[in-house]
Amino acid sequence: MFTASSSPRVADAVVASICTMKLCQGSSFSLDAHEQWRGQAARNPILITVSEPESRGSYLKKHTTYVVQQEPQNTRVRRRFSDFEWLHTTLCARYIGMLIPSLPEKTVYKTEAFIRGRMRGLALFLNHVVASPFLRHDASVVGFLNVVDDGEWDHVKKSSVVMEHAGEGHMQWMKCLLHTTLPDDADQLLLNLKRDAEFVDKACNDLLLCSKRLADKSAAYAKELTELATHFQQWKATEYVTVSDKAPEVQSILGHTTTAIGAWSELAQHQPVIHELLLHEGIKYIAHQVKDFKELLRVRDLALVQFDKSNRNRSVTTPPKQSYFVRAEPTGPEAEASAYRYDHIIFCMNRALFFSEIQRLHEIKATILHETFGPFSCAQYQVAKKLGGLWHGYIEAADINQADMMVAAKQVLDLAQVTYDPKVDG
């Protein structure tokens, strides 16, 4: 996420952004032509997969790299998580005001399940980057996806971190901001937006916690079913081998039951991955995007404060007293340059929000819900379909009277719906 800090890198990025905007000033802009340009990107979709995790290095320098494959271009590169971080930071600094796709969280302790989740999160990040017509043409994105040689990749990172002209998408973004007009009630709309973002953030966090618990319980459920299948196998072995008085009718029903329980257990092993990767990671991405959007609004407010402060200090000529604990505020020409940078940040953020980002947040939520529950529902349907076939086969193989057993099951389940009142107890 872009920050309004006064670090040298952020200051350089803002200066580069100012220079890029100057390059775009006076250039022609047609909304129809822009929409055609966006449509062309939509007609040429790119699919990114992240796979094949591989540990490299040793001890403190140990890290994991991943294969990033791009289709239909059929390119393959290896990248580590810090490369993804570099790309995210670069895009945030360059496209001031844009809600950049979110990265999964960073951690030191890595389990197999964590790596699976991280690959899913990294794939979501990259696929949403290339889905943006602005970002997919950026020099840093092109280099990230195409440069194979490690030495050349290091050069790309150094040369493209701060650029005045980072590609066609960068220039188009600046033109869009320059030709965006703010509504008269912009401040009130932003206040309402902050309030709404708080509500959505809380809802998403609650969903995130719930989906994680569901994934954990799904894993525990699968583990218990594995144990159940094991115990049935042991019972079957006992009835078939150990006991001296063998009963064919017991062996028959036990054999069918053990087979069914084993198949049930195998199907259940798919559920933890389905819940973790398809459901939880999708909800996590939405939650991260909402949180990043809140941060975008917070940075805008901070830039407003810093602009006012720098503007007041422009006329101060006496250098402030130096303190070891408190950083001195810039004064004079330095304050003027700082105010100029913050003014540019505010300009970009305001126009970015009303040009596209407010509406795009809604589109992102809708898209991710579709991308999350589409695969999730299909996976659950397939599991349910196989599970239904499994038990239907068991009913036939075990010669169970389905009509009678349905009545018996209904009686038990209906009784389970009755609320027990201890006062009525005889």
Side-chain angles (χ1 to χ4, degrees):
M1 178 58 59
F2 178 82
T3 64
S5 71
S6 56
S7 69
R9 180 174 175 180
V10 170
D12 290 345
V14 174
V15 170
S17 179
I18 292 170
C19 293
T20 305
M21 187 160 281
K22 286 180 179 178
L23 290 173
C24 296
Q25 284 175 342
S27 60
S28 60
F29 179 82
S30 165
L31 189 59
D32 290 338
H34 174 70
E35 290 302 322
Q36 288 179 2
W37 176 79
R38 286 172 60 95
Q40 185 178 2
R43 288 191 296 271
N44 297 286
I46 299 173
L47 176 64
I48 307 291
T49 57
V50 179
S51 60
E52 300 179 33
E54 180 182 289
S55 292
R56 293 185 176 182
S58 59
Y59 196 48
L60 294 177
K61 293 186 177 180
K62 190 173 183 179
H63 60 275
T64 305
T65 64
Y66 309 89
V67 167
V68 177
Q69 184 159 340
Q70 182 184 191
E71 297 292 348
Q73 291 79 0
N74 196 28
T75 61
R76 284 168 60 94
V77 295
R78 271 211 171 266
R79 297 288 181 255
R80 57 186 296 182
F81 187 74
S82 59
D83 294 327
F84 287 86
E85 285 185 307
W86 172 87
L87 179 62
H88 184 265
T89 302
T90 299
L91 294 177
C92 286
R94 184 169 292 152
Y95 296 85
I96 302 172
M98 183 185 289
L99 179 60
I100 301 298
S102 302
L103 269 181
E105 65 274 12
K106 187 173 185 177
T107 187
V108 176
Y109 182 67
K110 302 178 181 68
T111 63
E112 185 178 338
F114 173 82
I115 292 294
R116 286 200 306 265
R118 170 173 278 187
M119 288 193 296
R120 170 69 171 153
L122 293 175
L124 282 171
F125 163 69
L126 288 178
N127 277 292
H128 281 272
V129 165
V130 297
S132 165
F134 302 107
L135 302 183
R136 69 156 56 181
H137 295 292
D138 190 272
S140 61
V141 175
V142 173
F144 181 94
L145 294 175
N146 294 282
V147 176
V148 178
D149 181 73
D150 289 342
E152 188 180 349
W153 169 233
D154 287 337
H155 174 71
V156 167
K157 286 194 287 187
K158 291 175 183 176
S159 61
S160 63
V161 64
V162 176
M163 298 180 73
E164 295 179 8
H165 186 326
E168 183 184 4
H170 189 206
M171 301 298 284
Q172 283 285 341
W173 174 251
M174 286 301 186
K175 289 178 184 178
C176 290
L177 298 188
L178 279 169
H179 292 85
T180 297
T181 304
L182 298 183
D184 294 335
D185 56 346
D187 290 337
Q188 184 59 49
L189 288 172
L190 288 173
L191 282 174
N192 295 339
L193 189 63
K194 289 179 196 175
R195 181 201 61 199
D196 295 345
E198 289 292 340
F199 292 143
V200 176
D201 184 43
K202 183 182 184 307
C204 286
N205 281 328
D206 291 343
L207 277 171
L208 188 61
L209 292 172
C210 184
S211 65
K212 180 58 178 172
R213 290 195 301 269
L214 187 60
D216 292 341
K217 289 178 180 179
S218 177
Y221 177 74
K223 183 179 178 182
E224 292 296 334
L225 268 183
T226 300
E227 289 192 24
L228 183 68
T230 300
H231 293 317
F232 263 99
Q233 286 286 358
Q234 292 170 349
W235 184 15
K236 179 183 175 182
T238 300
E239 291 287 350
Y240 276 59
V241 179
T242 307
V243 297
S244 55
D245 186 15
K246 296 179 175 57
E249 65 275 15
V250 174
Q251 290 182 343
S252 176
I253 186 67
L254 184 57
H256 293 309
T257 304
T258 301
T259 300
I261 295 294
W264 181 22
S265 172
E266 288 179 10
L267 278 175
Q269 305 311 309
H270 298 291
Q271 289 288 13
V273 178
I274 291 172
H275 283 91
E276 182 72 34
L277 298 186
L278 297 184
L279 180 64
H280 179 64
E281 288 297 328
I283 292 174
K284 184 192 291 185
Y285 187 83
I286 296 176
H288 284 176
Q289 282 282 269
V290 172
K291 195 173 293 295
D292 286 350
F293 189 78
K294 281 179 58 183
E295 179 65 12
L296 202 65
L297 297 176
R298 190 192 70 81
V299 169
R300 173 190 170 274
D301 290 344
L302 180 60
L304 286 168
V305 172
Q306 294 294 338
F307 171 75
D308 289 339
K309 190 181 294 185
S310 298
N311 217 20
R312 288 195 303 269
N313 291 340
R314 291 167 68 175
S315 57
V316 177
T317 56
T318 306
K321 292 183 179 180
Q322 298 294 325
S323 170
Y324 181 79
F325 299 101
V326 181
R327 186 177 62 85
E329 294 292 338
T331 58
E334 188 180 349
E336 186 173 357
S338 179
Y340 187 55
R341 289 196 299 270
Y342 285 119
D343 186 48
H344 176 76
I345 293 170
I346 296 164
F347 177 91
C348 290
M349 286 195 157
N350 284 342
R351 278 150 184 80
L353 286 168
F354 288 103
F355 164 65
S356 61
E357 299 312 281
I358 294 175
Q359 178 59 33
R360 201 166 69 83
L361 179 63
H362 300 316
E363 294 171 357
I364 288 169
K365 288 185 287 186
T367 299
I368 295 297
L369 279 172
H370 186 271
E371 292 177 354
T372 297
F373 281 91
F376 178 76
S377 60
C378 289
Q380 290 290 35
Y381 171 73
Q382 289 299 321
V383 170
K385 191 176 177 182
K386 290 180 179 179
L387 199 58
L390 184 163
W391 291 120
H392 183 265
Y394 174 75
I395 289 169
E396 290 187 341
D399 196 23
I400 291 173
N401 187 314
Q402 189 171 355
D404 290 347
M405 292 301 103
M406 284 294 293
V407 171
K410 186 176 185 304
Q411 288 175 344
V412 174
L413 296 176
D414 285 347
L415 285 172
Q417 302 299 318
V418 177
T419 303
Y420 171 66
D421 187 352
K423 295 178 181 178
V424 183
D425 197 352

